[in-house]
Amino acid sequence: MDLAQTLVRAVVRAFFSTYEERRIICIVDALVLHSALRDDDLSYLMGINTKDLSKTCAKLEDERLLRSHHRVELREGKERANTRKYYYIDYRQAIDAIKWRTYKLDKAVQGEATGPVEKKEYFCTNCKREYSQLDVLDSVGPEGFICHRCKHILTFDPERQAGGHELSTRLNNQLKFITDVLPKLDTSAIPESTFDAALDAAVPVVRDAANQVAASVAVESAKPTAVKGMTNTGPQSIAISITDTDGPTEAEKEAERARKEQVAQMNALPSWHTTSTVTGLSFSGNTNPVAASQADEDDVKPTDDFASSDNAQDKELAEVFAMMQESARLGQQAEEEEEEEEEDEEDEDEEFEDVANATTPAGQKRPASSAPSSGADTPASERAAKKVKVEEPANDGDSEDDEDVQFEDV
Protein backbone atom coordinates (compact mmCIF):
# COMPACT_ATOMS: atom_id res chain seq x y z
CA MET A 1 0.00 0.00 0.00
CA ASP A 2 2.87 2.37 0.76
CA LEU A 3 4.38 1.64 -2.65
CA ALA A 4 1.09 2.55 -4.37
CA GLN A 5 0.82 5.78 -2.41
CA THR A 6 4.40 6.69 -3.33
CA LEU A 7 3.72 6.02 -7.00
CA VAL A 8 0.58 8.18 -7.06
CA ARG A 9 2.34 11.10 -5.37
CA ALA A 10 5.32 10.83 -7.74
CA VAL A 11 3.13 10.73 -10.85
CA VAL A 12 1.17 13.80 -9.74
CA ARG A 13 4.41 15.72 -9.20
CA ALA A 14 5.77 14.62 -12.59
CA PHE A 15 2.74 15.46 -14.74
CA PHE A 16 1.26 18.45 -12.85
CA SER A 17 4.23 20.79 -12.53
CA THR A 18 2.86 24.23 -13.45
CA TYR A 19 2.04 26.90 -10.91
CA GLU A 20 -1.71 26.53 -11.37
CA GLU A 21 -1.49 22.77 -10.99
CA ARG A 22 0.48 22.78 -7.75
CA ARG A 23 -2.82 22.79 -5.91
CA ILE A 24 -3.47 19.31 -7.28
CA ILE A 25 -0.31 18.04 -5.61
CA CYS A 26 -1.52 19.33 -2.25
CA ILE A 27 -4.94 17.73 -2.70
CA VAL A 28 -3.41 14.31 -3.46
CA ASP A 29 -1.04 14.58 -0.48
CA ALA A 30 -3.96 15.46 1.80
CA LEU A 31 -6.00 12.49 0.59
CA VAL A 32 -3.05 10.14 0.99
CA LEU A 33 -2.65 11.32 4.57
CA HIS A 34 -6.33 11.43 5.61
CA SER A 35 -7.61 8.58 3.36
CA ALA A 36 -11.05 10.24 2.89
CA LEU A 37 -12.10 13.87 3.30
CA ARG A 38 -15.39 15.72 3.09
CA ASP A 39 -15.54 18.65 0.70
CA ASP A 40 -15.71 21.28 3.47
CA ASP A 41 -12.78 19.71 5.35
CA LEU A 42 -10.66 19.54 2.20
CA SER A 43 -11.49 23.14 1.30
CA TYR A 44 -10.47 24.15 4.83
CA LEU A 45 -7.10 22.42 4.44
CA MET A 46 -6.53 23.94 1.00
CA GLY A 47 -7.74 27.40 1.98
CA ILE A 48 -10.18 27.66 -0.97
CA ASN A 49 -13.94 27.57 -1.32
CA THR A 50 -15.80 24.42 -2.26
CA LYS A 51 -16.65 25.68 -5.76
CA ASP A 52 -13.00 26.05 -6.78
CA LEU A 53 -12.22 22.77 -5.06
CA SER A 54 -14.83 20.96 -7.15
CA LYS A 55 -13.29 22.29 -10.38
CA THR A 56 -9.80 21.14 -9.36
CA CYS A 57 -10.97 17.72 -8.22
CA ALA A 58 -12.97 17.25 -11.43
CA LYS A 59 -9.70 17.30 -13.39
CA LEU A 60 -8.26 14.57 -11.15
CA GLU A 61 -11.42 12.52 -11.58
CA ASP A 62 -11.03 12.75 -15.37
CA GLU A 63 -7.50 11.38 -15.02
CA ARG A 64 -8.83 8.51 -12.85
CA LEU A 65 -6.58 9.53 -9.93
CA LEU A 66 -9.46 10.50 -7.65
CA ARG A 67 -12.98 9.34 -6.83
CA SER A 68 -15.95 11.02 -5.18
CA HIS A 69 -18.93 9.76 -3.18
CA HIS A 70 -22.17 11.43 -2.09
CA ARG A 71 -23.79 10.72 1.26
CA VAL A 72 -26.89 12.10 2.96
CA GLU A 73 -26.09 13.52 6.40
CA LEU A 74 -28.01 15.23 9.16
CA ARG A 75 -26.27 17.80 11.30
CA GLU A 76 -26.98 18.28 14.98
CA GLY A 77 -29.75 20.78 15.59
CA LYS A 78 -31.02 20.53 11.99
CA GLU A 79 -34.19 18.86 10.82
CA ARG A 80 -33.39 18.70 7.13
CA ALA A 81 -30.71 16.36 5.81
CA ASN A 82 -28.13 17.53 3.27
CA THR A 83 -26.08 15.67 0.68
CA ARG A 84 -22.34 15.96 1.29
CA LYS A 85 -19.51 15.03 -1.05
CA TYR A 86 -16.47 12.98 -0.04
CA TYR A 87 -13.16 12.48 -1.89
CA TYR A 88 -10.85 9.48 -1.69
CA ILE A 89 -8.26 7.66 -3.83
CA ASP A 90 -8.99 4.31 -5.46
CA TYR A 91 -5.44 2.95 -5.78
CA ARG A 92 -6.38 0.11 -8.10
CA GLN A 93 -7.99 2.50 -10.53
CA ALA A 94 -5.11 4.97 -10.21
CA ILE A 95 -2.48 2.30 -11.00
CA ASP A 96 -4.41 1.15 -14.07
CA ALA A 97 -4.67 4.76 -15.26
CA ILE A 98 -0.89 5.25 -14.83
CA LYS A 99 -0.17 2.09 -16.83
CA TRP A 100 -2.45 3.24 -19.64
CA ARG A 101 -0.92 6.74 -19.72
CA THR A 102 2.62 5.33 -19.85
CA TYR A 103 1.69 2.96 -22.67
CA LYS A 104 0.15 5.77 -24.74
CA LEU A 105 3.24 7.98 -24.28
CA ASP A 106 5.57 5.21 -25.36
CA LYS A 107 3.48 4.50 -28.47
CA ALA A 108 3.39 8.20 -29.37
CA VAL A 109 7.17 8.51 -29.13
CA GLN A 110 7.82 5.36 -31.14
CA GLY A 111 5.50 6.56 -33.87
CA GLU A 112 7.47 9.82 -34.23
CA ALA A 113 10.89 8.10 -34.29
CA THR A 114 13.01 8.47 -37.40
CA GLY A 115 13.40 5.44 -39.63
CA PRO A 116 16.72 3.86 -40.73
CA VAL A 117 16.55 5.56 -44.15
CA GLU A 118 16.84 9.01 -42.52
CA LYS A 119 19.55 8.04 -40.07
CA LYS A 120 21.57 11.04 -38.89
CA GLU A 121 25.26 10.24 -39.30
CA TYR A 122 26.69 13.74 -38.75
CA PHE A 123 26.68 15.33 -35.30
CA CYS A 124 28.17 18.38 -33.70
CA THR A 125 30.43 17.90 -30.69
CA ASN A 126 29.75 21.45 -29.51
CA CYS A 127 25.94 21.79 -29.55
CA LYS A 128 25.13 18.05 -29.82
CA ARG A 129 22.94 18.62 -32.84
CA GLU A 130 22.56 15.85 -35.42
CA TYR A 131 22.19 16.04 -39.20
CA SER A 132 21.45 13.66 -41.99
CA GLN A 133 23.42 13.53 -45.20
CA LEU A 134 20.82 15.62 -47.04
CA ASP A 135 20.79 18.29 -44.34
CA VAL A 136 24.55 19.07 -44.56
CA LEU A 137 24.92 19.33 -48.35
CA ASP A 138 24.34 23.11 -48.33
CA SER A 139 26.96 23.87 -45.64
CA VAL A 140 30.36 22.71 -46.88
CA GLY A 141 33.62 24.20 -45.61
CA PRO A 142 37.31 23.67 -46.40
CA GLU A 143 37.60 21.08 -43.60
CA GLY A 144 34.21 19.43 -44.08
CA PHE A 145 30.56 19.98 -43.30
CA ILE A 146 29.72 22.85 -40.95
CA CYS A 147 27.03 22.96 -38.21
CA HIS A 148 24.18 25.28 -39.02
CA ARG A 149 23.86 26.45 -35.43
CA CYS A 150 27.38 26.93 -34.04
CA LYS A 151 29.51 26.76 -37.21
CA HIS A 152 31.69 23.97 -35.88
CA ILE A 153 32.99 21.12 -37.99
CA LEU A 154 30.61 18.12 -37.94
CA THR A 155 31.82 14.65 -37.05
CA PHE A 156 30.88 11.70 -39.22
CA ASP A 157 30.03 8.48 -37.30
CA PRO A 158 27.73 5.98 -39.10
CA GLU A 159 27.79 3.52 -36.19
CA ARG A 160 26.49 6.01 -33.61
CA GLN A 161 23.01 5.17 -32.22
CA ALA A 162 21.22 8.46 -32.43
CA GLY A 163 18.30 9.91 -34.30
CA GLY A 164 14.78 8.66 -33.34
CA HIS A 165 16.04 6.41 -30.61
CA GLU A 166 17.25 9.40 -28.64
CA LEU A 167 13.73 10.65 -27.88
CA SER A 168 12.59 7.20 -26.83
CA THR A 169 15.66 6.82 -24.63
CA ARG A 170 15.03 10.15 -22.96
CA LEU A 171 11.39 9.19 -22.31
CA ASN A 172 12.38 5.89 -20.77
CA ASN A 173 14.86 7.63 -18.54
CA GLN A 174 12.24 10.12 -17.34
CA LEU A 175 9.63 7.40 -16.72
CA LYS A 176 12.05 5.04 -15.07
CA PHE A 177 10.59 5.70 -11.63
CA ILE A 178 7.24 4.47 -12.96
CA THR A 179 8.47 1.49 -14.97
CA ASP A 180 10.53 0.28 -12.01
CA VAL A 181 7.59 0.41 -9.56
CA LEU A 182 4.87 -1.10 -11.76
CA PRO A 183 6.36 -4.65 -11.88
CA LYS A 184 6.63 -4.59 -8.09
CA LEU A 185 2.96 -3.59 -7.79
CA ASP A 186 1.96 -6.43 -10.11
CA THR A 187 3.48 -8.97 -7.74
CA SER A 188 1.95 -7.42 -4.60
CA ALA A 189 -1.70 -7.52 -3.47
CA ILE A 190 -3.39 -4.15 -3.35
CA PRO A 191 -6.54 -4.08 -1.20
CA GLU A 192 -9.77 -2.91 -2.72
CA SER A 193 -10.34 0.80 -2.12
CA THR A 194 -14.00 1.49 -1.40
CA PHE A 195 -15.62 4.46 0.24
CA ASP A 196 -16.55 2.54 3.38
CA ALA A 197 -13.01 1.23 3.80
CA ALA A 198 -11.51 4.67 3.20
CA LEU A 199 -13.94 6.29 5.63
CA ASP A 200 -13.13 3.75 8.33
CA ALA A 201 -9.42 4.49 7.97
CA ALA A 202 -9.89 8.25 7.68
CA VAL A 203 -7.92 10.58 9.91
CA PRO A 204 -10.11 13.42 11.23
CA VAL A 205 -9.20 17.01 10.41
CA VAL A 206 -8.21 19.15 13.39
CA ARG A 207 -9.79 22.57 13.14
CA ASP A 208 -9.07 25.66 15.13
CA ALA A 209 -11.63 27.21 17.45
CA ALA A 210 -12.77 29.75 14.88
CA ASN A 211 -13.62 27.17 12.20
CA GLN A 212 -15.48 24.51 14.14
CA VAL A 213 -18.41 22.76 12.44
CA ALA A 214 -21.27 20.78 13.92
CA ALA A 215 -21.01 17.02 13.85
CA SER A 216 -23.16 15.22 11.32
CA VAL A 217 -24.67 11.75 11.24
CA ALA A 218 -25.25 9.66 8.13
CA VAL A 219 -28.87 9.07 7.21
CA GLU A 220 -29.88 5.79 5.61
CA SER A 221 -31.50 6.57 2.29
CA ALA A 222 -34.38 4.07 2.15
CA LYS A 223 -36.20 3.66 -1.12
CA PRO A 224 -39.91 4.47 -0.97
CA THR A 225 -42.05 1.36 -0.95
CA ALA A 226 -45.38 3.09 -1.61
CA VAL A 227 -46.78 6.14 -3.28
CA LYS A 228 -48.32 8.81 -1.13
CA GLY A 229 -52.00 8.07 -0.68
CA MET A 230 -51.63 4.36 -1.46
CA THR A 231 -51.23 1.58 1.05
CA ASN A 232 -50.45 -2.13 0.92
CA THR A 233 -48.43 -1.79 -2.28
CA GLY A 234 -45.65 -4.15 -1.22
CA PRO A 235 -45.60 -7.67 0.19
CA GLN A 236 -46.09 -7.74 3.94
CA SER A 237 -44.52 -11.16 4.45
CA ILE A 238 -43.05 -14.01 2.46
CA ALA A 239 -43.96 -17.61 3.33
CA ILE A 240 -42.18 -20.64 1.90
CA SER A 241 -43.68 -24.12 2.22
CA ILE A 242 -41.83 -27.30 1.24
CA THR A 243 -43.83 -30.46 0.59
CA ASP A 244 -42.82 -33.99 -0.33
CA THR A 245 -45.74 -34.59 -2.72
CA ASP A 246 -45.43 -34.12 -6.45
CA GLY A 247 -48.47 -31.89 -6.81
CA PRO A 248 -50.30 -29.31 -4.72
CA THR A 249 -52.12 -30.37 -1.59
CA GLU A 250 -55.86 -30.20 -1.07
CA ALA A 251 -55.50 -27.06 1.03
CA GLU A 252 -53.52 -25.38 -1.72
CA LYS A 253 -56.11 -26.38 -4.32
CA GLU A 254 -58.92 -25.02 -2.16
CA ALA A 255 -57.02 -21.77 -1.57
CA GLU A 256 -56.34 -21.43 -5.29
CA ARG A 257 -60.00 -22.04 -6.10
CA ALA A 258 -61.10 -19.42 -3.56
CA ARG A 259 -58.59 -16.97 -4.95
CA LYS A 260 -59.83 -17.51 -8.51
CA GLU A 261 -63.44 -17.02 -7.39
CA GLN A 262 -62.50 -13.80 -5.63
CA VAL A 263 -60.66 -12.54 -8.70
CA ALA A 264 -63.61 -13.49 -10.92
CA GLN A 265 -66.00 -11.55 -8.67
CA MET A 266 -63.69 -8.55 -8.72
CA ASN A 267 -63.45 -8.64 -12.51
CA ALA A 268 -67.17 -9.28 -13.10
CA LEU A 269 -68.99 -6.73 -15.24
CA PRO A 270 -72.01 -4.86 -13.82
CA SER A 271 -75.49 -6.22 -14.51
CA TRP A 272 -76.40 -3.38 -16.86
CA HIS A 273 -73.46 -4.47 -19.05
CA THR A 274 -74.36 -8.15 -19.24
CA THR A 275 -78.18 -8.25 -19.00
CA SER A 276 -80.64 -6.90 -21.53
CA THR A 277 -83.21 -4.47 -20.11
CA VAL A 278 -85.78 -5.57 -22.71
CA THR A 279 -85.80 -9.37 -22.62
CA GLY A 280 -83.76 -9.95 -19.47
CA LEU A 281 -81.32 -12.22 -21.29
CA SER A 282 -77.61 -12.16 -20.52
CA PHE A 283 -74.65 -13.21 -22.60
CA SER A 284 -74.08 -16.20 -20.30
CA GLY A 285 -77.65 -17.54 -20.81
CA ASN A 286 -79.07 -16.54 -17.43
CA THR A 287 -82.41 -14.73 -17.29
CA ASN A 288 -83.63 -11.95 -15.13
CA PRO A 289 -86.69 -13.26 -13.28
CA VAL A 290 -88.36 -9.85 -13.14
CA ALA A 291 -87.99 -9.17 -16.84
CA ALA A 292 -88.71 -12.77 -17.83
CA SER A 293 -92.10 -12.68 -16.12
CA GLN A 294 -93.07 -9.71 -18.29
CA ALA A 295 -92.02 -11.44 -21.54
CA ASP A 296 -94.58 -13.06 -23.85
CA GLU A 297 -95.56 -16.67 -23.34
CA ASP A 298 -94.50 -17.52 -26.87
CA ASP A 299 -90.92 -16.50 -26.21
CA VAL A 300 -88.63 -19.46 -25.79
CA LYS A 301 -86.32 -19.33 -22.82
CA PRO A 302 -82.73 -20.14 -23.74
CA THR A 303 -81.08 -22.99 -21.94
CA ASP A 304 -78.22 -22.45 -19.56
CA ASP A 305 -75.84 -24.50 -21.61
CA PHE A 306 -75.11 -23.62 -25.22
CA ALA A 307 -74.46 -27.27 -26.04
CA SER A 308 -77.94 -28.36 -24.82
CA SER A 309 -79.51 -25.56 -26.87
CA ASP A 310 -77.79 -26.80 -30.01
CA ASN A 311 -78.92 -30.37 -29.30
CA ALA A 312 -82.54 -29.25 -28.90
CA GLN A 313 -82.41 -27.38 -32.20
CA ASP A 314 -80.95 -30.40 -33.95
CA LYS A 315 -83.70 -32.60 -32.50
CA GLU A 316 -86.42 -30.22 -33.68
CA LEU A 317 -84.94 -30.11 -37.17
CA ALA A 318 -84.79 -33.91 -37.26
CA GLU A 319 -88.48 -34.14 -36.29
CA VAL A 320 -89.46 -31.63 -38.99
CA PHE A 321 -87.54 -33.54 -41.64
CA ALA A 322 -89.15 -36.83 -40.48
CA MET A 323 -92.66 -35.33 -40.74
CA MET A 324 -91.90 -34.00 -44.22
CA GLN A 325 -90.67 -37.41 -45.35
CA GLU A 326 -93.72 -39.14 -43.87
CA SER A 327 -96.12 -36.74 -45.60
CA ALA A 328 -94.28 -37.20 -48.88
CA ARG A 329 -94.48 -40.97 -48.50
CA LEU A 330 -98.25 -40.88 -47.75
CA GLY A 331 -98.89 -38.62 -50.74
CA GLN A 332 -96.96 -40.92 -53.04
CA GLN A 333 -98.85 -43.94 -51.69
CA ALA A 334 -102.21 -42.21 -52.29
CA GLU A 335 -101.25 -41.43 -55.88
CA GLU A 336 -100.26 -45.03 -56.48
CA GLU A 337 -103.61 -46.27 -55.12
CA GLU A 338 -105.53 -43.89 -57.41
CA GLU A 339 -103.57 -45.09 -60.42
CA GLU A 340 -104.29 -48.74 -59.54
CA GLU A 341 -108.04 -48.02 -59.23
CA GLU A 342 -108.11 -46.34 -62.65
CA GLU A 343 -106.31 -49.30 -64.21
CA ASP A 344 -108.81 -51.76 -62.65
CA GLU A 345 -111.79 -49.83 -64.07
CA GLU A 346 -110.26 -49.82 -67.53
CA ASP A 347 -109.67 -53.57 -67.32
CA GLU A 348 -113.29 -54.21 -66.33
CA ASP A 349 -114.60 -52.18 -69.29
CA GLU A 350 -112.49 -54.20 -71.68
CA GLU A 351 -113.63 -57.61 -70.26
CA PHE A 352 -117.39 -57.11 -70.99
CA GLU A 353 -119.01 -57.19 -74.52
CA ASP A 354 -122.72 -57.05 -75.62
CA VAL A 355 -123.84 -60.12 -77.63
CA ALA A 356 -127.41 -60.05 -79.26
CA ASN A 357 -129.41 -63.21 -80.20
CA ALA A 358 -129.67 -62.74 -83.91
CA THR A 359 -131.37 -66.15 -84.47
CA THR A 360 -134.49 -67.82 -83.15
CA PRO A 361 -134.65 -71.27 -81.74
CA ALA A 362 -135.78 -72.57 -85.17
CA GLY A 363 -132.76 -70.89 -86.78
CA GLN A 364 -134.66 -67.97 -88.31
CA LYS A 365 -133.98 -64.32 -87.68
CA ARG A 366 -136.35 -62.57 -85.37
CA PRO A 367 -137.96 -59.47 -86.80
CA ALA A 368 -137.25 -56.26 -85.05
CA SER A 369 -140.17 -54.56 -83.40
CA SER A 370 -140.64 -50.90 -84.11
CA ALA A 371 -142.89 -50.24 -81.12
CA PRO A 372 -141.58 -50.31 -77.68
CA SER A 373 -142.63 -53.21 -75.61
CA SER A 374 -142.44 -53.87 -71.95
CA GLY A 375 -141.04 -56.88 -70.31
CA ALA A 376 -144.45 -57.95 -69.03
CA ASP A 377 -145.97 -58.06 -72.53
CA THR A 378 -143.06 -59.83 -74.10
CA PRO A 379 -143.14 -63.57 -73.66
CA ALA A 380 -140.32 -65.29 -71.97
CA SER A 381 -139.17 -66.97 -75.14
CA GLU A 382 -138.94 -63.67 -76.96
CA ARG A 383 -137.11 -61.78 -74.32
CA ALA A 384 -133.45 -60.99 -74.89
CA ALA A 385 -131.10 -63.55 -73.55
CA LYS A 386 -129.14 -62.66 -70.45
CA LYS A 387 -125.46 -62.15 -70.70
CA VAL A 388 -123.41 -64.64 -68.73
CA LYS A 389 -119.71 -64.23 -68.29
CA VAL A 390 -117.83 -67.43 -68.98
CA GLU A 391 -114.29 -67.63 -67.74
CA GLU A 392 -111.63 -68.73 -70.13
CA PRO A 393 -110.21 -72.19 -69.59
CA ALA A 394 -106.71 -72.21 -68.20
CA ASN A 395 -104.22 -72.69 -71.08
CA ASP A 396 -106.56 -74.92 -73.20
CA GLY A 397 -104.62 -75.91 -76.28
CA ASP A 398 -107.75 -77.03 -78.23
CA SER A 399 -109.41 -73.65 -78.02
CA GLU A 400 -109.04 -71.71 -81.21
CA ASP A 401 -109.87 -68.25 -79.85
CA ASP A 402 -107.90 -67.95 -76.61
CA GLU A 403 -108.14 -64.22 -76.51
CA ASP A 404 -111.95 -63.89 -77.10
CA VAL A 405 -114.37 -63.94 -74.25
CA GLN A 406 -116.95 -66.67 -74.76
CA PHE A 407 -120.59 -66.09 -73.93
CA GLU A 408 -123.58 -68.50 -73.92
CA ASP A 409 -127.24 -67.72 -74.30
CA VAL A 410 -129.21 -68.82 -71.35
Side-chain angles (χ1 to χ4, degrees):
M1 193 67 178
D2 296 338
L3 194 60
Q5 293 177 354
T6 303
L7 177 63
V8 172
R9 296 175 70 178
V11 168
V12 171
R13 282 170 171 79
F15 291 95
F16 301 98
S17 58
T18 62
Y19 179 78
E20 292 79 8
E21 294 175 345
R22 290 179 181 177
R23 187 180 296 172
I24 295 177
I25 301 174
C26 296
I27 292 174
V28 172
D29 290 344
L31 292 175
V32 170
L33 179 61
H34 293 275
S35 180
L37 287 174
R38 199 168 57 187
D39 53 356
D40 56 347
D41 292 337
L42 186 57
S43 64
Y44 168 74
L45 294 176
M46 298 300 300
I48 58 176
N49 55 29
T50 55
K51 186 176 181 181
D52 295 338
L53 178 66
S54 299
K55 292 181 180 179
T56 306
C57 293
K59 188 174 183 179
L60 286 173
E61 289 185 21
D62 294 339
E63 298 294 339
R64 301 294 188 270
L65 297 175
L66 192 70
R67 296 194 68 175
S68 61
H69 179 80
H70 295 81
R71 189 175 74 166
V72 180
E73 296 182 354
L74 181 63
R75 289 188 177 183
E76 295 181 358
K78 301 290 184 179
E79 296 181 357
R80 183 177 180 180
N82 296 324
T83 302
R84 307 309 301 266
K85 191 174 184 179
Y86 283 80
Y87 296 99
Y88 67 99
I89 298 175
D90 188 353
Y91 290 98
R92 288 186 178 181
Q93 176 181 282
I95 292 172
D96 293 339
I98 293 171
K99 289 180 180 179
W100 173 253
R101 183 68 65 181
T102 305
Y103 170 77
K104 296 293 288 183
L105 285 174
D106 190 18
K107 285 296 182 181
V109 171
Q110 290 181 6
E112 296 177 0
T114 306
V117 179
E118 300 178 1
K119 185 178 181 181
K120 296 179 180 181
E121 300 175 347
Y122 296 89
F123 66 95
C124 179
T125 57
N126 185 27
C127 64
K128 307 300 181 181
R129 187 164 183 178
E130 299 175 352
Y131 297 94
S132 64
Q133 188 175 3
L134 295 175
D135 295 337
V136 298
L137 291 178
D138 59 345
S139 60
V140 181
E143 298 180 359
F145 296 105
I146 301 173
C147 179
H148 293 172
R149 181 183 295 175
C150 62
K151 305 304 179 181
H152 280 73
I153 301 301
L154 297 178
T155 303
F156 177 71
D157 187 3
E159 302 296 333
R160 185 174 181 271
Q161 298 294 334
H165 298 284
E166 182 181 0
L167 183 59
S168 179
T169 303
R170 290 175 59 187
L171 178 64
N172 292 333
N173 293 333
Q174 292 179 0
L175 300 179
K176 188 176 181 179
F177 73 98
I178 298 176
T179 56
D180 292 344
V181 175
L182 288 177
K184 298 179 182 179
L185 291 174
D186 292 338
T187 57
S188 61
I190 300 175
E192 184 179 2
S193 300
T194 60
F195 171 72
D196 296 334
L199 188 63
D200 294 339
V203 178
V205 177
V206 180
R207 292 172 175 264
D208 54 9
N211 295 298
Q212 294 294 328
V213 294
S216 59
V217 180
V219 178
E220 297 293 337
S221 58
K223 296 182 179 180
T225 57
V227 182
K228 185 178 180 181
M230 299 179 64
T231 58
N232 298 329
T233 57
Q236 301 296 331
S237 61
I238 299 176
I240 300 175
S241 60
I242 301 175
T243 58
D244 296 335
T245 58
D246 297 335
T249 60
E250 296 296 332
E252 292 176 352
K253 292 180 179 179
E254 185 65 23
E256 182 67 17
R257 186 186 62 78
R259 187 187 66 81
K260 290 182 178 180
E261 290 181 357
Q262 184 179 3
V263 171
Q265 292 178 0
M266 293 172 61
N267 296 335
L269 295 174
S271 59
W272 53 272
H273 262 276
T274 59
T275 305
S276 173
T277 57
V278 178
T279 61
L281 302 179
S282 64
F283 70 94
S284 59
N286 298 327
T287 58
N288 188 356
V290 178
S293 61
Q294 298 176 359
D296 297 333
E297 295 180 357
D298 297 337
D299 294 341
V300 180
K301 296 182 180 179
T303 58
D304 293 338
D305 192 1
F306 288 103
S308 61
S309 177
D310 295 339
N311 295 333
Q313 293 180 359
D314 296 341
K315 186 176 180 181
E316 292 178 359
L317 291 174
E319 293 178 356
V320 171
F321 284 127
M323 293 174 62
M324 294 173 63
Q325 293 177 358
E326 182 67 19
S327 61
R329 187 182 64 79
L330 294 176
Q332 185 177 2
Q333 185 177 359
E335 291 178 357
E336 292 178 355
E337 292 178 355
E338 292 179 358
E339 291 178 357
E340 290 178 357
E341 292 178 357
E342 291 178 357
E343 291 177 356
D344 294 341
E345 291 178 358
E346 291 178 357
D347 295 340
E348 291 178 0
D349 294 339
E350 291 177 357
E351 290 176 357
F352 291 95
E353 184 178 351
D354 295 336
V355 179
N357 292 330
T359 59
T360 58
Q364 296 179 356
K365 294 183 179 180
R366 184 181 178 182
S369 177
S370 59
S373 60
S374 62
D377 297 336
T378 304
S381 59
E382 295 179 0
R383 293 179 183 175
K386 293 184 179 178
K387 297 178 181 181
V388 179
K389 181 178 179 181
V390 180
E391 295 181 358
E392 297 179 358
N395 297 329
D396 190 359
D398 299 335
S399 176
E400 297 178 355
D401 298 332
D402 294 338
E403 297 179 356
D404 297 335
V405 180
Q406 298 180 0
F407 295 90
E408 292 183 358
D409 295 334
V410 179

